Amino acid sequence: MDAKTNTKKATLTVDGKSVDFPVLSGSVGPDVIDIGKLYAQTGMFTYDPGFTSTGSCDSKITYIDGDAGILLYRGYPIEQLAEKGDFLETCYLLLYGELPTPLQKKDFDDRVTRHTMVHEQMARFFQGFRRDAHPMAVMVASVGALAAFYNDSTDISDPKQRMIASMRMIAKIPTLAAMAFKYNIGQPFVYPKNSLSFAANFLNMCFAVPCEDYKINPVLAEALDKIFILHADHEQNASTSTVRIAGSSGANPFACIAAGIACLWGPAHGGANEAALAMLAEIGSVDKIPEFIKKVKDKDSKVRLMGFGHRVYKNYDPRAKIMQQMCHKVLKETGHANDPLLPIALELEKIALSDPYFIDRKLYPNVDFYSGITLKAMGFPTSMFTVLFAVARTVGWISQWSEMIQDPHQKIGRPRQLYSGATSRDYVDIGKRK
Ligand code: CMC
């Protein structure tokens, strides 16, 4: 652990008894109280559903200042990486901690490229799914199945095997994602093409067909590459925490990433872009927005403005700003500039940003608000949106998993609880139960 114990102490007083706890400082961000000895010293646990005030690990990968709207990967602002870098460079940065030299970049790109094909038997594995299966269901299953296909890289105590498994997932998960898409629409799988960039290859695997040439649009390839950069990591969010918890038991990396994909699927997390687009379609026209906002504010309706709000950002999500610009560029390029959903999104955003309900709760657009419209214009169906998120987030999950495995203070993740069920009672024979 590199966090420094500082001179501050936190004192907890319960029933007149006071106990001191060390306060740790990171390189930036709020200090944390080290309560590791709380139970031993007081016989009590902390209670924090949703972990809103709990730091679960010491990490050097990603930093978010939610109040200022700042996101840094290994110290580099997301805006600079999205403007000047490419996705594989971001992968290198997240995995190794530094930006690559030209030689390191070329070697890394080559290594990822050489792993893009999946075992041919995987194609048979896909045949077992119904054609109408949700691609995220196929992703959870097929990524989990990688452990069965690549058993030679599941020994987590071997750094070489860990790196091979990492490269395999960064390279093969896009191939599986494209296969899930093709299978769903009843088209033949398209093999990866190693002469193409990461994003261009993904577009080709998704949209090429054997009967005619597919010309990759460089504007779309660049936009997709940036979308991947924006989604590459986001510190200890729900899916990343899931990956870390799964990995803390010593589970193999393929199983851990499959667990992360399962968590990402939820509408409060990666499924929000699909939900945001569905919401815009449901609103239907700009004049229906006030009625919809009324529903959102009514607590009994349980309706939320999808693509708005964030556990950490209490300011404009920096990724949403880049996403909004990209959305306009992609819509113009694809001739979807007149997409009827765009004016609804723009007006909704304008109203929400000036409405006291949203201002008081610090609810701003998040990355998912504009990503749905952008991906739709690129030709992806809504069911693929979260799959694309998973393709991008794979490197973040792997980097966090790898950091955890190498952390000498790592323990199995095992939270405690506030038990409020029945106290001890005697078993009643079935015939005597009322
Ligand atoms: N629409 C309307 N009200 C909202 C929204 C929303 N999108 N989000 C939060 N609120 C209200 C909520 O009702 C509560 O109000 P009150 O204090 O009156 O009870 C207050 O804001 C705080 O909400 P919370 O549920 O305690 O906040 P949280 O930190 O637990 O939830 C969130 C964060 C992202 C789950 C939530 O904002 C949400 O459901 N947003 C919509 C889904 C979404 O866009 N998710 C994508 C997140 S970004 C991508 C990713 O990381 O996966």
Side-chain angles (χ1 to χ4, degrees):
M1 177 154 58
D2 280 358
K4 306 267 179 308
T5 307
N6 66 30
T7 49
K8 286 188 227 164
K9 287 231 172 318
T11 307
L12 176 72
T13 307
V14 186
D15 282 344
K17 187 186 165 206
S18 292
V19 188
D20 286 340
F21 296 99
V23 174
L24 308 178
S25 298
S27 47
V28 61
D31 290 345
V32 300
I33 304 167
D34 177 356
I35 54 145
K37 300 233 162 28
L38 178 73
Y39 182 62
Q41 293 184 356
T42 67
M44 283 189 279
F45 300 123
T46 54
Y47 179 61
D48 183 20
F51 312 122
T52 54
S53 299
T54 298
S56 61
C57 61
D58 178 353
S59 180
K60 292 184 173 57
I61 302 175
T62 293
Y63 174 74
I64 304 174
D65 181 335
D67 293 321
I70 289 171
L71 169 61
L72 310 175
Y73 293 165
R74 301 281 190 183
Y76 294 101
I78 189 69
E79 294 85 353
Q80 291 182 21
L81 292 169
E83 190 198 330
K84 299 180 182 166
D86 69 33
F87 178 64
L88 284 182
E89 185 181 60
T90 295
C91 289
Y92 186 99
L93 174 68
L94 289 169
L95 272 176
Y96 294 102
E98 295 298 335
L99 286 168
T101 62
L103 210 68
Q104 287 166 335
K105 170 85 166 75
K106 188 181 172 313
D107 172 62
F108 184 74
D109 288 6
D110 285 350
R111 279 192 289 146
V112 172
T113 302
R114 278 202 312 272
H115 281 296
T116 49
M117 277 176 68
V118 292
H119 194 291
E120 193 58 22
Q121 196 69 12
M122 261 283 174
R124 300 254 184 95
F125 181 77
F126 268 69
Q127 307 301 324
F129 295 111
R130 286 169 56 134
R131 287 272 174 194
D132 61 356
H134 194 291
M136 277 302 275
V138 175
M139 289 302 286
V140 174
S142 59
V143 173
L146 287 177
F149 285 89
Y150 301 99
N151 192 39
D152 60 346
S153 55
T154 52
D155 178 359
I156 61 161
S157 65
D158 177 354
K160 216 167 149 199
Q161 287 199 32
R162 287 203 303 265
M163 191 42 82
I164 294 171
S166 303
M167 299 307 282
R168 281 180 167 157
M169 280 189 277
I170 293 167
K172 291 183 204 303
I173 286 179
T175 309
L176 294 176
M179 287 169 77
F181 175 49
K182 287 295 200 190
Y183 189 74
N184 187 252
I185 56 174
Q187 289 185 3
F189 298 139
V190 175
Y191 285 101
K193 214 174 187 174
N194 290 349
S195 56
L196 297 173
S197 72
F198 188 88
N201 175 49
F202 187 69
L203 287 174
N204 193 62
M205 288 191 295
C206 287
F207 298 119
V209 285
C211 49
E212 61 185 40
D213 287 339
Y214 173 69
K215 209 166 165 301
I216 291 149
N217 180 328
V219 176
L220 300 195
E222 196 198 334
L224 190 61
D225 196 74
K226 289 195 195 310
I227 291 174
F228 288 155
I229 294 174
L230 297 185
H231 288 86
D233 196 45
H234 215 223
E235 54 120 307
Q236 309 312 318
N237 55 82
S239 58
T240 301
S241 300
T242 301
V243 169
R244 279 188 179 255
I245 291 255
S248 75
S249 73
N252 75 72
F254 302 106
C256 297
I257 302 305
I261 295 174
C263 177
L264 185 74
W265 196 359
H269 192 6
N273 48 16
E274 193 174 338
L277 198 75
M279 173 192 76
L280 295 175
E282 189 197 319
I283 296 171
S285 59
V286 170
D287 59 304
K288 301 264 173 53
I289 293 176
E291 196 187 312
F292 182 77
I293 295 276
K294 215 169 129 199
K295 258 198 272 175
V296 169
K297 291 196 224 169
D298 173 7
K299 291 278 167 218
D300 294 331
S301 76
K302 301 264 184 282
V303 175
R304 284 201 165 192
L305 186 50
M306 299 313 284
F308 257 71
H310 198 277
R311 171 60 60 80
V312 184
Y313 293 120
K314 301 302 168 198
N315 199 325
Y316 214 101
D317 178 343
R319 302 168 302 170
K321 281 189 194 150
I322 306 170
M323 202 68 225
Q324 193 202 42
Q325 293 162 7
M326 221 138 55
C327 178
H328 287 289
K329 217 170 154 183
V330 167
L331 260 54
K332 196 166 156 229
E333 181 67 20
T334 54
H336 286 84
N338 295 327
D339 186 329
L341 299 186
L342 188 61
I344 303 176
L346 289 169
E347 186 61 18
L348 201 56
E349 181 182 356
K350 207 167 97 193
I351 293 179
L353 290 177
S354 57
D355 187 310
Y357 174 94
F358 297 94
I359 294 170
D360 293 350
R361 289 168 179 78
K362 298 189 173 160
L363 299 170
Y364 292 87
N366 60 51
V367 69
D368 288 324
F369 192 64
Y370 283 103
S371 64
I373 310 176
T374 314
L375 295 175
K376 180 176 166 247
M378 284 180 158
F380 290 105
T382 48
S383 59
M384 278 298 288
F385 293 176
T386 318
V387 175
L388 276 123
F389 193 157
V391 167
R393 186 56 58 85
T394 295
V395 66
W397 289 328
I398 288 171
S399 306
Q400 301 269 352
W401 169 82
S402 169
E403 182 179 69
M404 181 201 65
I405 297 289
Q406 292 173 73
D407 181 350
H409 299 273
Q410 184 266 326
K411 285 183 187 340
I412 186 165
R414 176 52 170 100
R416 302 303 296 260
Q417 63 175 2
L418 173 65
Y419 179 70
S420 53
T423 53
S424 178
R425 49 184 171 166
D426 288 328
Y427 180 84
V428 180
D429 287 335
I430 192 158
K432 294 186 182 158
R433 287 177 217 158
K434 295 189 185 103

